[in-house]
Amino acid sequence: MEVPFVDLRAQYESIRPQLDEAMTGSVMKFNFIGGESVSKFEKQFRVAVNSNYCISTGNCTDALFAALKVLGVGPGDEVITPAFTWISSAETISLCHATPVFVDVDPQTYTIDPAKIEEKITTKTKGIILVHLYGQAAHASVIRDLCLAKNFFLIEDCAQAHFTREGNKYAGTFGDAGAFSFYPTKNLGAYGDAGCLITDSEDLAIKTRRFVNHGALKKDDHLIEGFNSRMDSLQAAVLLTKLPYLNGWNAGRRVNGDAYNRLLSGIPEVTTPYVRPGTEHTFHLYVIRCERRNELRQFLESKGIQSVVHYPAALPNLPAYRYLNHSVKDFPVASLLQHQVLSLPVYPELSPDKIEYVCESIKAFYSH
Ligand SMILES: *Cc1c(COP(=O)(O)O)cnc(C)c1O
């Protein structure tokens, strides 16, 4: 049996006529950047996550960068961000000529550990970027309260957390702004790069809109210098077609996550994902912690099962951050996770027999 890590073709086939019509219709307008489908998607997405403003961008990394710039982050500033995540949050801080200050992650949720933030605060701290990793809700309300008390900004990286909730509040709506990715394999994926920033602040919304469009809200009206990061009409047409299915697809991922939890529960070498009470996980990734991770991965590969490591190195341990002179002892949880985490296929179209096959293969690996 072959079990791919993702299957974008299966999703396409499930709504093929609608997607084909949307894409052809979009091209036939011969208006390729921005336009009606982009503003329609911005409106539908912000309504879906209950936010006042949505500014589309070329990708999520740009949305994070734009948010930091319009919040005034610059040389000499420090911004706190988790030690274990994708590189975007940290590299955009550096792009602003500020310093990323890493905080270790919570050993249960794998998101930034609120108890370890305080000790990293200095007079240079300007704000925090948290990450809702794997689709798990980070401790956003606790961290928002800390930010309000200290007059810090809070940006949420929601690239893996479309419709993730804490209580009835969506990821991205706790802080000043939330950045989303619509990279093709995300829970809501375009057919190319795309992203957006959501915010409840009119001021932040206007400044971001200006910044991502060469500093101009209208043609030739360059009030400031900005840069260019906009959503293609074609991507908006794809996203508008897919958005109504997102809740169902997320539910499918949760069903698959539950099946894995059940079938893997008796294996002492495997720890299944924790879900924080009072939150809704959207399982962008189903990540186990396991012993002999690399060997297990190879064994699964030999059985036709694809798995991926998110991530093989905590950010402070990457060559890119060697200049910060951190040691693995500074981030014990993140530095352990990098050796233990393994992401199993969890896409909504994954069939129960494939999940059983994956779990039986894992059992077989640990029984000899
Ligand atoms: C995918 C991802 C990003 C980057 O998104 P792009 O749209 O590719 O820029 C940022 N943060 C996290 C946590 C991600 O998973």
Side-chain angles (χ1 to χ4, degrees), residues 59-61 85-86 88 131 157 159-160 181 183 186 193-194 311:
N59 57 66
C60 176
T61 309
T85 180
W86 179 242
S88 294
V131 183
D157 178 341
Q160 303 186 357
S181 174
Y183 180 82
K186 303 286 157 115
D193 274 316
Y311 298 93

Side-chain angles (χ1 to χ4, degrees), residues 57-64 84-89 91-92 130-134 157-162 179-186 192-196 284-285 310-311:
T57 57
N59 57 66
C60 176
T61 309
D62 284 355
L64 288 167
F84 196 69
T85 180
W86 179 242
I87 196 170
S88 294
S89 47
E91 70 184 345
T92 48
L130 64 73
V131 183
H132 299 284
L133 196 69
Y134 304 154
D157 178 341
C158 307
Q160 303 186 357
H162 314 73
F180 286 83
S181 174
F182 306 114
Y183 180 82
T185 56
K186 303 286 157 115
D193 274 316
C196 76
H284 170 59
L285 297 169
H310 302 92
Y311 298 93

Side-chain angles (χ1 to χ4, degrees), residues 109-311:
T109 60
Y110 314 150
T111 59
I112 190 167
D113 189 340
K116 291 180 178 165
I117 292 178
E118 199 93 30
E119 65 200 61
K120 295 294 180 88
I121 294 173
T122 73
T123 52
K124 295 174 181 168
T125 309
K126 287 291 172 324
I128 299 177
I129 305 182
L130 64 73
V131 183
H132 299 284
L133 196 69
Y134 304 154
Q136 170 101 268
H139 301 80
S141 55
V142 173
I143 295 170
R144 174 198 51 204
D145 292 347
L146 173 89
C147 287
L148 289 173
K150 304 269 184 191
N151 202 21
F152 294 161
F153 65 75
L154 175 61
I155 300 171
E156 298 170 68
D157 178 341
C158 307
Q160 303 186 357
H162 314 73
F163 292 3
T164 290
R165 284 189 280 118
E166 177 181 314
N168 51 18
K169 222 169 144 49
Y170 286 99
T173 62
F174 287 84
D176 296 275
F180 286 83
S181 174
F182 306 114
Y183 180 82
T185 56
K186 303 286 157 115
N187 287 26
L188 179 60
Y191 282 174
D193 274 316
C196 76
L197 192 77
I198 61 166
T199 179
D200 280 343
S201 156
E202 184 181 14
D203 180 56
L204 207 63
I206 292 172
K207 285 177 175 161
T208 304
R209 179 79 72 191
R210 187 182 277 135
F211 186 71
V212 299
N213 190 36
H214 304 291
L217 285 174
K218 298 193 304 262
K219 194 168 158 41
D220 299 326
D221 183 27
H222 306 281
L223 194 67
I224 55 160
E225 283 183 313
F227 79 142
N228 172 15
S229 183
R230 299 173 300 212
M231 190 185 280
D232 295 341
S233 316
L234 188 62
Q235 303 312 340
V238 169
L239 293 170
L240 271 169
T241 309
K242 288 188 176 190
L243 185 59
Y245 297 97
L246 180 55
N247 261 318
W249 288 334
N250 283 346
R253 288 172 183 272
R254 277 190 292 275
V255 167
N256 293 343
D258 287 344
Y260 274 124
N261 288 344
R262 213 169 43 244
L263 295 166
L264 295 173
S265 65
I267 309 174
E269 293 89 347
V270 171
T271 306
T272 54
Y274 171 80
V275 179
R276 202 154 62 83
T279 69
E280 186 151 83
H281 200 308
T282 46
F283 286 102
H284 170 59
L285 297 169
Y286 180 87
V287 181
I288 58 168
R289 286 172 79 170
C290 56
E291 290 175 22
R292 294 192 282 140
R293 193 262 321 270
N294 294 348
E295 268 178 80
L296 171 62
R297 194 174 173 213
Q298 262 181 0
F299 178 79
L300 293 177
E301 191 75 49
S302 76
K303 297 274 175 191
I305 300 164
Q306 287 180 354
S307 60
V308 182
V309 174
H310 302 92
Y311 298 93

Side-chain angles (χ1 to χ4, degrees), residues 1 3 263 349-360:
M1 197 183 293
V3 188
L263 295 166
E349 299 82 5
L350 185 64
S351 61
D353 60 318
K354 288 192 170 163
I355 296 175
E356 270 168 40
Y357 175 64
V358 175
C359 295
E360 273 161 24

